[in-house]
Amino acid sequence: MIKKLCTLLLLTCITAAPSLAQRYSSSDDASFAPKKGQWQVSVLLGSGKFFNENTSYLLPKFSNDGGVVGLPNGGKDNSGDLNRYLNIGSLNNNSLVNIAGIEGKYFLSDNWDINFQFSMNISLTPKKDYVEGNYTEVPDMIIPAQDYISARMTNNWYVGVGTNRYFKVSNPRIHPYLGGSLGFQMARIETTEPYTGDNYYDEDMVETDKETGKPVDPDELGGLPTQVYLSGSRAGQMFGIKAAGVAGIEYSLAPGLVLGFQFQPLAYRYDVIQLCPKGFDKYNASHHNIKIFDMPVLKLGIRF
């Protein structure tokens, strides 16, 4: 629904631009240029600024009696390829109907602005314990078991700050600019396992029958819940710091209504992936990325 509304809004703006242009005389063209003290708020349309939002790979996968902590492609030939997890922006994957975030800018002068970008996605799932069923007392009327649901919280967000220098050209509706930006993004996932119905029996813990004095068959003991041997809490996170040059151009469809295009001619990003098994050292993986022509976005905003 949001994509359809964005597409409709863009088409409306583009169609209305010629008619809007005819309503204003040349003496009104000065009102199209940004002025000191003005604000501009825009929606950013294009490739998302988040990390890969399916962050399940950040959860440590091991049990009390086995397993390895690491990324899914760890120990393989492509283990050095972290792009699938970091969602490195690409000119080959850019949807103009995707809302990537919002941007606000304040004009310090007629030619300089300071801008802020922000996007966020948070989800929370409460836990549900396993409920045991009954299949033996009444064979033709069983009580089915109910599967458990782990408590899960994920958050994925991006924030950026930058400044741009606007340049005047012969057409008063067109406003090219150059600048720079600093960005920080983070993704984190935490899960807590409820009662799952899974038990584990430690063979070293031999119990004896009080009446007979003989060892009890392990199959009859049933064992203890796995949470006794291993914490049910797991977590993982990753964060990135980015410095980039910015180039863009804005076109005033009408006074106060702006359509623009922006990209980063050169960008450097440093990312860290951390898997956090409770009670053990963190598993860390770092990544450097230098890219030309990054993060193309279309902007639709209002200036006031």
Side-chain angles (χ1 to χ4, degrees):
M1 183 64 182
I2 294 178
K3 291 184 177 181
K4 292 182 179 179
L5 290 175
C6 292
T7 304
L8 181 61
L9 182 59
L10 285 174
L11 291 175
T12 302
C13 293
I14 294 173
T15 305
S19 61
L20 289 171
Q22 295 175 0
R23 295 185 181 182
Y24 301 96
S25 63
S26 59
S27 61
D28 295 324
D29 284 341
S31 62
F32 294 123
K35 300 293 183 183
K36 178 181 178 180
Q38 285 187 322
W39 289 87
Q40 182 172 314
V41 179
S42 308
V43 292
L44 306 178
L45 308 173
S47 59
K49 299 180 179 295
F50 291 142
F51 287 122
N52 188 333
E53 292 185 276
N54 179 18
T55 51
S56 298
Y57 52 85
L58 292 176
L59 296 175
K61 295 177 175 61
F62 69 101
S63 64
N64 58 299
D65 59 353
V68 176
V69 177
L71 295 170
N73 68 340
K76 301 178 182 178
D77 291 339
N78 63 342
S79 59
D81 181 13
L82 303 184
N83 289 0
R84 68 182 71 181
Y85 312 118
L86 300 175
N87 194 23
I88 302 297
S90 171
L91 287 172
N92 296 323
N93 183 17
N94 187 47
S95 174
L96 292 181
V97 293
N98 175 57
I99 297 180
I102 59 174
E103 178 189 67
K105 61 175 60 178
Y106 176 76
F107 287 91
L108 302 173
S109 68
D110 292 353
N111 296 324
W112 285 94
D113 76 20
I114 182 171
N115 57 78
F116 306 90
Q117 295 182 358
F118 180 72
S119 54
M120 180 178 65
N121 187 3
I122 295 178
S123 63
L124 178 64
T125 302
K127 73 171 184 176
K128 174 180 172 54
D129 289 325
Y130 172 79
V131 178
E132 296 181 356
N134 191 318
Y135 302 93
T136 58
E137 289 188 6
V138 184
D140 58 349
M141 191 178 293
I142 65 168
I143 300 176
Q146 296 183 13
D147 283 336
Y148 70 91
I149 298 177
S150 295
R152 176 178 296 222
M153 183 180 70
T154 61
N155 61 78
N156 206 326
W157 54 274
Y158 169 87
V159 62
V161 60
T163 184
N164 296 318
R165 169 66 161 87
Y166 281 74
F167 300 93
K168 294 182 179 180
V169 295
S170 58
N171 189 330
R173 290 176 179 264
I174 298 176
H175 313 292
Y177 59 87
L178 294 173
S181 68
L182 294 174
F184 179 82
Q185 62 188 120
M186 183 173 183
R188 180 174 174 84
I189 180 171
E190 298 180 53
T191 65
T192 301
E193 200 172 66
Y195 172 64
T196 63
D198 296 329
N199 295 331
Y200 179 79
Y201 177 77
D202 189 346
E203 296 180 356
D204 295 333
M205 299 176 60
V206 179
E207 296 188 17
T208 58
D209 190 304
K210 294 181 180 180
E211 296 181 358
T212 64
K214 296 181 179 180
V216 179
D217 186 352
D219 294 334
E220 296 180 4
L221 292 176
L224 295 174
T226 54
Q227 287 84 352
V228 174
Y229 301 92
L230 183 69
S231 172
S233 298
R234 297 183 295 165
Q237 62 188 13
M238 53 186 172
F239 58 87
I241 301 173
K242 186 176 188 179
V246 175
I249 187 170
E250 293 179 348
Y251 179 80
S252 294
L253 299 172
L257 182 61
V258 179
L259 180 66
F261 174 77
Q262 176 181 295
F263 72 102
Q264 297 174 349
L266 180 64
Y268 167 76
R269 209 171 96 180
Y270 173 72
D271 300 285
V272 174
I273 299 176
Q274 294 182 332
L275 279 65
C276 310
K278 197 166 185 178
F280 302 93
D281 292 337
K282 292 180 180 178
Y283 175 93
N284 293 295
S286 59
H287 182 268
H288 300 268
N289 179 259
I290 299 176
K291 194 167 189 178
I292 298 177
F293 303 123
D294 192 23
M295 289 293 181
V297 292
L298 190 69
K299 302 195 295 185
L300 183 62
I302 56 173
R303 186 186 299 147
F304 53 92

